Structures are given as structure tokens and as C-alpha cells.
Amino acid sequence: DNKVFDYIGSASHSKNVIGECCVLSVLMDSKNNLYVGTDNDGIYVLDKQCRMVEHYQRESLSSLVPNATLCIFEDSRHRIWVGGYMSGLVCLDPATRRFSRISLMGPSNGDPIPSVYDIVEDNEGGYIYASASGVGVYKIDVNTLATSLFDVKDPSLLHDFSQNQINNTWINCLTVSKDRKLYIGTYSGFTCMDIPTENFVDTYGRNCFLEGVIVNSIFEDTDKHIWLGTNSGLYDFSPSDRSFTHYDVADGLPSVFVSAISGANDGNL
């Protein structure tokens, strides 16, 4: 058998275990369970043999299971965090199989945040960061689950990159670097927050790079370079000298649209 990929889904007779709906997110947890978040069919959990061990479904409007699961994340305590479209942020305790809703209140009207697109953790500080596109980035205390919001404090100063605020609230992705910087990819470039000081300017002297470029994904490599997948190619950002190297189809990319980046053990992307 020379197969490179092993298919799981409705087209397989033996591994038709995740229904027919679109897959929006996946997570391999610390116990090698595979979480599969779908569009309109809840969350499936498979074991190492690809057998379904759990199917969390949205059985009613009051259910905490997202109808469309945009992202899944396991924290250092092995809790599973789930961001949903139009259903906010929930946290699953695998031991009890119970979900808890994390209350993310809006900056002005107090309405719950409808959609969460990415989730990361700062292990040293004990916080979860979740992006709510159109609103900002939420910080959640892993002990108390108390939340606070980083948003645009003064919209009139959005193009003043010396301001200590997030540069854009329409957010696609988050990454926490090894030196505890929170990189935030937005619909207009990216910003970097120093986590210990919660300052958006001190690290690089400005709160925005690549203004006007849609940043879809961010990845830190073993050399501490920050790679950015965008709608106009791939960027390699060197924090040490703040320089960029840009790659596009002329360099071998199949498309200028880069939606995801991951690293291999040999150092390749």
C-alpha cells in the first residue's frame, strides 16, 4: 500500500465516521484524539484508530456546541477551547464532557461576541487569547475565566502607528512567539503586542506592518523568524532587523493566496 493520505469521511465505507458536512477545523490533542469541527454537524472526536468516540451536537438553540466550529485549541490544562461562528467561545472539560460558555462582552453595547476565529495561549502568563473579528482580541484568565478586551480605543488614530492600541479589529489569526509576543494578523497588516507589558508599540516602534495586506496565517520558525501567509504571497519577517523577504508565484508558490503555514521537523515550511 503506497498511499500517502488516509481518507476519513462520507466517501469511505470503512471510515465514514464524521458525516457529510464541511470540515472547518481540526485538532490532535495530547492523547492523540482527533477533534473534527464541522459546519452544521457539531464536533466529532476520533481515537487513534479513527473510531468515533464522541459526537458533540448542537441539539437546540440553547446548546453550547457551535453550529459551525471555526477553531479548536487545547490548553496547558488539556481543556479544549472552541470558537464558533455566531456562537462565541466555549470550553470543554474532556473529563466531564461538559461545555462552559466564556462570556465575551462587547466594548459598547454589551452583546455577546458572535464569532471567534482563533485561539492561542501564553503558557507563562496563564492567559488564553481569542480573536473576535470586528471587535478585537480577548484575554481570558485560565484560572478565573475573567476576560478583558484589546480593541481600537480611538478609531480616528488608526493610521497613526505610534499609538498604543491594536491597529485593526478585523482579525484572522494569532500566534504567541517564544519570546512572549502576541502577533495579530488582520485585514490590514499585522501588529505585535509585548505580552508582559501589553504594549503594542514598544517592540518595534510602531503598531502596524504591511498595512493594506490581508494576513491569513502567522508562523514562527526555529530561527524565530515570523512567516506571514497573505493574499499577496508569503512574507518572512526578521524581528532582529525588522526586514521582510517576500515570496510569490515567481518563487514557486502555486498561488499568491497563502491561507495556512506549518513547520516540518526538517525545518521546511
Side-chain angles (χ1 to χ4, degrees):
D1 188 352
N2 295 319
K3 287 184 179 179
V4 177
F5 295 97
D6 192 8
Y7 173 81
I8 303 169
S10 59
S12 169
H13 292 291
S14 61
K15 295 182 180 178
N16 181 13
V17 291
I18 58 171
E20 299 181 352
C21 292
C22 293
V23 173
L24 300 178
S25 54
V26 292
L27 167 74
M28 183 71 75
D29 73 5
S30 56
K31 296 182 178 179
N32 291 320
N33 293 312
L34 179 65
Y35 286 75
V36 181
T38 71
D39 183 6
N40 205 37
D41 195 21
I43 301 169
Y44 290 87
V45 185
L46 312 181
D47 65 13
K48 287 187 288 188
Q49 287 73 42
C50 295
R51 297 173 300 198
M52 185 178 72
V53 296
E54 195 67 65
H55 183 198
Y56 298 106
Q57 296 175 275
R58 187 175 177 86
E59 298 172 345
S60 68
L61 291 177
S62 61
S63 172
L64 297 184
V65 178
N67 207 29
T69 302
L70 299 176
C71 54
I72 311 174
F73 178 80
E74 181 183 19
D75 70 14
S76 55
R77 300 185 177 191
H78 307 300
R79 295 175 297 187
I80 305 299
W81 296 74
V82 178
Y85 180 73
M86 301 296 289
S87 54
L89 179 67
V90 295
C91 183
L92 168 67
D93 183 345
T96 63
R97 298 181 178 180
R98 295 179 66 88
F99 284 91
S100 301
R101 182 175 297 284
I102 308 302
S103 181
L104 303 180
M105 306 309 292
S108 56
N109 56 19
D111 292 335
I113 301 305
S115 302
V116 170
Y117 287 82
D118 203 3
I119 306 164
V120 294
E121 180 179 16
D122 171 36
N123 293 333
E124 290 187 42
Y127 292 100
I128 295 289
Y129 295 91
S131 66
S133 204
V135 179
V137 176
Y138 282 89
K139 181 179 77 171
I140 303 106
D141 188 300
V142 297
N143 295 309
T144 66
L145 301 184
T147 64
S148 56
L149 174 65
F150 299 107
D151 61 351
V152 174
K153 299 180 179 62
D154 188 343
S156 69
L157 298 175
L158 269 180
H159 297 287
D160 182 351
F161 300 144
S162 66
Q163 296 298 311
N164 183 23
Q165 64 176 9
I166 195 170
N167 74 301
N168 193 299
T169 59
W170 292 98
I171 300 164
N172 285 324
C173 53
L174 305 171
T175 291
V176 174
S177 65
K178 299 176 184 66
D179 58 353
R180 300 188 68 201
K181 311 294 183 186
L182 178 65
Y183 287 88
I184 304 167
T186 79
Y187 273 59
S188 183
F190 74 94
T191 189
C192 174
M193 184 188 79
D194 178 68
I195 290 177
T197 63
E198 297 187 346
N199 191 288
F200 289 90
V201 178
D202 284 354
T203 302
Y204 298 119
R206 54 186 293 160
N207 69 8
C208 179
F209 286 94
L210 300 181
E211 182 190 12
V213 175
I214 298 175
V215 177
N216 303 308
S217 54
I218 305 177
F219 176 78
E220 183 186 27
D221 69 14
T222 54
D223 294 324
K224 299 183 180 180
H225 281 218
I226 305 298
W227 293 82
L228 304 121
T230 78
N231 280 21
S232 58
L234 180 68
Y235 289 85
D236 171 13
F237 175 61
S238 172
S240 60
D241 61 7
R242 307 178 191 180
S243 65
F244 289 89
T245 303
H246 179 231
Y247 301 91
D248 58 19
V249 292
D251 301 293
L253 284 177
S255 168
V256 294
F257 188 94
V258 180
S259 59
I261 310 170
S262 185
N265 292 333
D266 61 4
N268 287 328
L269 299 182

